[in-house]
Amino acid sequence: MKILIAISDSFCANFIKGQGKYLVDKGHEVIIVSGPGIEIDDLELNEPVKVIRVKFSREISPINDLKSLFTVIDIAKKEKPDIINAGNPKTGFLFSLAHIFFWKIPLIFTLRGVRSDTLQGSKRVIVKFTEYVTCRFADKVICISPSLKVHAEKIGIVDKKKCVVLTEGSSNGINLSHYSLSEKIVADRELLIKKYNIPEDAFLIAFVGRVTKDKGIVEIIDALNVCIKRGANMKLIIAGPIEHQDPIPEDYYLQLETNPNIIYVGKQLDVRPIYALAQTLVLYSYREGFGNVVIEASSFGVPSIVADIPGLKDTTIHMETGLIVEPRNTKELADAIFRLYNDMNLAVKLGENGKERVYKFFSNEVVWSAQHKLYEELHK
């Protein structure tokens, strides 16, 4: 079986890492269509897959998108895959439109979140329409979490009959041996402590992800400042690139540089030392398909505090593996952070429970096996 996996951005190679090798080991041929970048270059070096690079535009761009549409049609005609799995809004929309030219090839769309949820005005209408068309034209839609499936069905962008969730959620799972403490990670953690002069007695909150408004950065920084005013000895370490497509207010960018309780380390190719440092991870997004950083942190025994939104809430069991709080509520978030700060026994217990859950449900092999089964069913 020849399997084509499409992603629009090189960074998204992190969401499919290992899938290609797994499928090739099962006897299949794998082609990955992706935007160019460091991450996809690295994947190509380490996995026995064919990579085709296409420069997709991230935002809506009629001229560039039309060119990309013709490109993906040409790729499908030339490669003649047996299965196509498009895993981003842009590639999903383009491949769904192109599907009329190769309608006999089963098309899967992996829904990682509903982008229109956080948009407004005409852009929201346009994006929601593209989401509807993508899900409508796909043969199957993989929702990467149970609550995302419920939400997508409720707002009418996907049909219940074609929507599935694999295992307990996540689109790729995690490599359990990779996300576990090692001598190298311990050494890299110590380097971070020295480089940024991190006090060893400070309670360290970690955020890993894009620095954008819809990731809840404003609320996280505000909650940190509330906790500091209450007398807490804590630091916030932020690891991720600054993206200005969804900017935070200028004074918050300034705080990244000047707030003594914020340690901004930028984009990290390896975030494991960040998890090894943290007492808790906070992911307070406005929208999230699942939230892999939560299960990555859990594999290190780090409890998480997350927003009660579709997708993200499936990463955490409240008061068992972490805390789930009302979204966009700085006070509740600050209270949750302060609760773990004041009760390290609770934090440790939640972290241990989270690690057990990750090992049971979220290993790569568990998720890949479910994907492989779906591919085989559609190929019959």
Side-chain angles (χ1 to χ4, degrees), residues 268-285:
Q268 300 288 299
L269 292 178
D270 187 359
V271 296
R272 294 174 298 171
I274 305 295
Y275 299 138
L277 271 171
Q279 273 74 53
T280 187
L281 176 111
V282 176
L283 186 57
Y284 206 56
S285 307

Side-chain angles (χ1 to χ4, degrees), residues 81-115:
D82 298 300
I83 292 282
I84 298 173
N85 184 348
N88 298 98
K90 183 55 66 79
T91 55
F93 182 59
L94 293 174
F95 273 94
S96 67
L97 291 180
H99 198 207
I100 61 174
F101 295 96
F102 44 86
W103 59 271
K104 289 186 178 181
I105 302 174
L107 174 64
I108 299 168
F109 174 53
T110 298
L111 181 65
R112 303 178 190 276
V114 181
R115 189 179 176 217

Side-chain angles (χ1 to χ4, degrees), residues 220-235:
I220 294 172
I221 291 175
D222 286 345
L224 168 74
N225 291 331
V226 169
C227 291
I228 296 299
K229 287 179 180 177
R230 293 180 184 176
N233 175 21
M234 59 177 62
K235 303 286 183 182

Side-chain angles (χ1 to χ4, degrees), residues 79-218:
E79 298 295 340
K80 296 181 174 58
D82 298 300
I83 292 282
I84 298 173
N85 184 348
N88 298 98
K90 183 55 66 79
T91 55
F93 182 59
L94 293 174
F95 273 94
S96 67
L97 291 180
H99 198 207
I100 61 174
F101 295 96
F102 44 86
W103 59 271
K104 289 186 178 181
I105 302 174
L107 174 64
I108 299 168
F109 174 53
T110 298
L111 181 65
R112 303 178 190 276
V114 181
R115 189 179 176 217
S116 59
D117 280 349
T118 54
L119 300 176
Q120 295 179 341
S122 60
K123 190 172 183 179
R124 176 186 175 92
V125 173
I126 294 169
V127 171
K128 188 169 183 179
F129 174 74
T130 64
E131 290 168 337
Y132 172 80
V133 169
T134 302
C135 294
R136 179 84 174 184
F137 288 1
D139 297 293
K140 281 288 182 182
V141 176
I142 298 174
C143 281
I144 66 170
S145 62
S147 59
L148 176 62
K149 178 178 184 292
V150 172
H151 177 60
E153 291 172 353
K154 183 178 179 180
I155 64 176
I157 67 169
V158 67
D159 187 338
K160 288 182 180 181
K161 295 178 182 177
K162 64 171 63 176
C163 194
V164 297
V165 178
L166 305 179
T167 69
E168 296 291 307
S170 176
S171 62
N172 201 47
I174 63 170
N175 182 331
L176 296 177
S177 61
H178 182 73
Y179 286 100
S180 60
L181 206 59
S182 66
E183 289 184 7
K184 182 182 184 306
I185 294 172
V186 170
D188 289 344
R189 178 183 64 186
E190 294 307 308
L191 288 175
L192 283 173
I193 290 172
K194 291 179 181 178
K195 180 177 181 179
Y196 294 99
N197 196 26
I198 301 172
E200 293 199 17
D201 61 342
F203 183 89
L204 199 66
I205 308 158
F207 169 85
V208 176
R210 295 176 293 108
V211 178
T212 59
K213 184 180 178 181
D214 72 358
K215 286 292 184 180
I217 287 291
V218 169

Side-chain angles (χ1 to χ4, degrees), residues 203-204 275-281 297-305 317 319-323 336-357:
F203 183 89
L204 199 66
Y275 299 138
L277 271 171
Q279 273 74 53
T280 187
L281 176 111
S298 291
S299 70
F300 284 88
V302 177
S304 292
I305 301 172
I317 301 175
M319 286 301 294
E320 185 174 325
T321 68
L323 302 177
I337 294 171
F338 208 74
R339 182 174 190 174
L340 295 188
Y341 172 77
N342 277 329
D343 192 346
M344 281 304 298
N345 289 331
L346 174 62
V348 169
K349 179 183 176 182
L350 297 179
E352 289 173 349
N353 292 343
K355 187 172 183 177
E356 288 181 14
R357 183 170 182 250

